Amino acid sequence: MPRPKPKTYDRLNNFIKEFGEIIFLADNSVLFCKICDIKVSAEKKFTVIQHIKTAKHIQGLNRLQLKPTKTQQLVSTSFSKKNDFNRDLCKAMLSANIPLYKLENKHFREFLELYTKKEIPKEATLRKGYVDDLFLETIEKIKNCVDGKKIWVSIDETTDAEGRFIANVIIGTLTVDDPGSIFLLNSEKLEKSNHSTIFKLFDQSMNLLWPQGVKYNEVLLFVTDAAPYMIKADKAIQNLYTKIIHVTCLAHGLHHVAEEIRNQYKNVDQLVSNVKKTFLKAPSRIQTLKSVASDIPLPPQQILIRWGTWIDAALYYCKYFEIIKQVIDMLDENDPESIKKCKQILKSNNLEANLAFIMSNYGFISTSITRLETKGMSLTKSIKIIKTTKESIHSAKVGGCAQAKA
């Protein structure tokens, strides 16, 4: 007569007794390997033995400084498919802005395995199993923080390395005595950058924040740059969010002031542009500059889309005018066209005077922009900076326009 087949529960318990409670855990129907943090097929004994002989299982024992015996102790792990270590690892990497694909780096994995004594998950494991949970957890924290408070919303659009239009939605709480909390609520790829897509993104983001019903009266400020499509989007937004006030970025406004100054001083602008070209990717010319004055910094790489950098460049040439002129005179004007242009510009009668005027009357603008970009600044301090800057601009000498046109 054949031997009766043991019940599932009894069979699993027999495996635990044979191989040790430190290795396996079981409920009524599933055998779970604590070392590998996975379910093990337990229909036949040989499948359990096969699992014990796998490289992953042996490596797990080695990481925990265990030998593959039945009697050693092991700290119990979660029976759930998801575990705290994977979750915390995913959260730490996302918080530190470390791409998850870095886990595929062999040396990084070995380092983590060596010092954590844990099985390091694959990128796909974290992306499929933990990222969504962390996203929902973060959204819930944002909801709790803004609950019962008035908020402001800011949307800024940019272009990424692949040429896609990416818009970021930032929100913050409005409080009386402090700047309040700030959060990145949403980041979306836009098909186009226009008032329609901005309006849709705004409304979608508010529905993400309040899925049970948008609290229209809680949104008081909409902060953007002064782009025409942003202004047009605000008009559509105000139809739904009746208490909202549109405020254009103060730092962006000062950047436009700097652009207007640049337009007024053509010879200074030409100097900034051509000196930049002269020393860009030119080690021999940089060496010439260092041989003349080793203690001065290199000419600034002014970038028009970075606010206030043109003013900073003008201040640099005002401070080191004689040195830059001396170095340019030493260079061969037959080399690049920019050197020839620099020599011509440096002969301008009013160039040095214009640089001095910019320094004495507008040199504070880039500093004001930097101060306005400070995170956590209160509204009263921001307004004070703007008022002071406005007064300083208005007090600039009237002769500046005459100099600019000369």
Side-chain angles (χ1 to χ4, degrees):
M1 183 175 180
R3 186 177 179 180
K5 187 176 181 180
K7 295 181 179 179
T8 301
Y9 178 79
D10 294 333
R11 185 173 70 255
L12 297 181
N13 277 337
N14 289 337
F15 289 144
I16 292 174
K17 290 178 182 178
E18 181 175 355
F19 297 104
E21 295 181 359
I22 58 173
I23 303 296
F24 291 116
L25 179 69
D27 62 2
N28 292 330
S29 59
V30 176
L31 184 67
F32 187 81
C33 177
K34 296 179 180 181
I35 302 295
C36 304
D37 200 23
I38 60 172
K39 298 175 184 178
V40 178
S41 175
E43 289 297 322
K44 301 287 184 179
K45 181 178 179 179
F46 80 88
T47 60
V48 179
I49 295 174
Q50 279 184 333
H51 172 76
I52 292 174
K53 292 181 178 180
T54 60
K56 180 179 179 180
H57 186 85
I58 295 172
Q59 287 174 2
L61 290 173
N62 291 336
R63 279 194 303 273
L64 294 169
Q65 298 179 347
L66 294 173
K67 295 180 181 179
T69 64
K70 304 175 185 178
T71 58
Q72 292 175 302
Q73 295 294 320
L74 177 67
V75 178
S76 63
T77 59
S78 171
F79 193 85
S80 170
K81 186 177 181 181
K82 295 184 180 181
N83 63 59
D84 292 338
F85 174 75
N86 288 358
R87 180 185 177 281
D88 291 342
L89 176 63
C90 184
K91 184 176 182 179
M93 294 187 69
L94 294 177
S95 299
N97 202 26
I98 301 174
L100 296 181
Y101 69 80
K102 295 292 185 181
L103 288 174
E104 303 305 316
N105 181 280
K106 177 183 176 182
H107 299 291
F108 187 44
R109 290 183 67 85
E110 290 176 351
F111 171 81
L112 292 176
E113 288 175 349
L114 176 63
Y115 290 101
T116 64
K117 310 299 181 185
K118 297 282 188 179
E119 174 71 20
I120 304 303
K122 296 287 187 180
E123 173 199 357
T125 302
L126 297 186
R127 195 173 297 282
K128 295 177 181 178
Y130 297 89
V131 171
D132 287 346
D133 292 344
L134 291 173
F135 169 76
L136 295 175
E137 178 186 306
T138 303
I139 292 296
E140 197 61 34
K141 287 181 179 178
I142 295 174
K143 290 179 185 177
N144 293 335
C145 186
V146 304
D147 186 40
K149 299 176 183 177
K150 308 296 183 183
I151 68 168
W152 57 266
V153 181
S154 178
I155 297 180
D156 192 25
E157 178 270 328
T158 188
T159 305
D160 68 4
E162 297 183 4
R164 297 173 298 186
F165 298 111
I166 306 297
N168 298 310
V169 181
I170 299 172
I171 67 169
T173 56
L174 291 168
T175 56
V176 177
D177 300 323
D178 57 74
S181 303
I182 301 174
F183 306 97
L184 173 63
L185 177 64
N186 197 5
S187 186
E188 289 284 347
K189 183 185 78 169
L190 305 178
E191 294 299 324
K192 297 179 181 179
S193 290
N194 55 38
H195 70 283
S196 177
T197 55
I198 295 298
F199 170 74
K200 290 178 181 178
L201 175 63
F202 185 101
D203 202 44
Q204 288 171 0
S205 300
M206 294 304 99
N207 278 279
L208 176 63
L209 182 62
W210 293 302
Q212 304 302 323
V214 176
K215 300 178 181 179
Y216 296 98
N217 292 333
E218 301 294 299
V219 188
L220 300 186
L221 286 178
F222 180 40
V223 184
T224 70
D225 58 24
Y229 68 88
M230 286 291 188
I231 296 174
K232 191 173 182 180
D234 173 65
K235 294 179 180 179
I237 290 170
Q238 286 182 348
N239 291 328
L240 290 177
Y241 302 81
T242 55
K243 291 190 175 182
I244 201 168
I245 298 174
H246 187 207
V247 179
T248 55
C249 176
L250 298 177
H252 196 195
L254 286 184
H255 174 60
H256 286 313
V257 173
E259 283 187 329
E260 182 59 29
I261 295 170
R262 169 175 165 262
N263 292 333
Q264 292 293 327
Y265 293 88
K266 298 296 184 183
N267 57 356
V268 175
D269 187 38
Q270 291 173 3
L271 176 69
V272 171
S273 176
N274 284 285
V275 173
K276 174 184 174 181
K277 294 176 184 177
T278 299
F279 289 98
L280 184 64
K281 297 181 180 179
S284 61
R285 296 179 204 131
I286 293 174
Q287 187 60 40
T288 302
L289 174 62
K290 289 298 182 181
S291 65
V292 174
S294 59
D295 56 338
I296 74 167
L298 294 176
Q301 299 296 317
Q302 161 261 346
I303 303 173
L304 295 182
I305 60 173
R306 293 188 180 176
W307 301 346
T309 55
W310 187 89
I311 296 289
D312 289 333
L315 300 183
Y316 172 89
Y317 293 114
C318 180
K319 185 176 181 179
Y320 301 111
F321 182 81
E322 293 299 333
I323 295 175
I324 295 298
K325 185 176 181 180
Q326 180 184 350
V327 172
I328 294 296
D329 287 339
M330 294 171 62
L331 301 177
D332 184 2
E333 65 179 30
N334 295 321
D335 196 359
E337 182 68 19
S338 60
I339 295 178
K340 184 177 180 179
K341 290 182 179 179
C342 284
K343 291 186 176 184
Q344 292 173 350
I345 296 165
L346 287 167
K347 292 177 182 178
S348 301
N349 295 328
N350 65 335
L351 176 62
E352 193 170 4
N354 284 347
L355 288 169
F357 184 86
I358 292 172
M359 171 175 266
S360 60
N361 291 280
Y362 304 119
F364 57 86
I365 289 180
S366 60
T367 303
S368 297
I369 292 174
T370 302
R371 291 175 63 194
L372 287 171
E373 291 174 333
T374 303
K375 184 178 179 180
M377 180 176 291
S378 64
L379 181 60
T380 53
K381 288 183 179 179
S382 299
I383 293 174
K384 185 177 180 180
I385 292 172
I386 288 296
K387 285 184 176 180
T388 303
T389 304
K390 184 178 178 180
E391 291 170 359
S392 299
I393 292 174
H394 285 171
S395 65
K397 296 178 181 179
V398 179
C401 293
Q403 285 183 325
K405 295 177 181 178

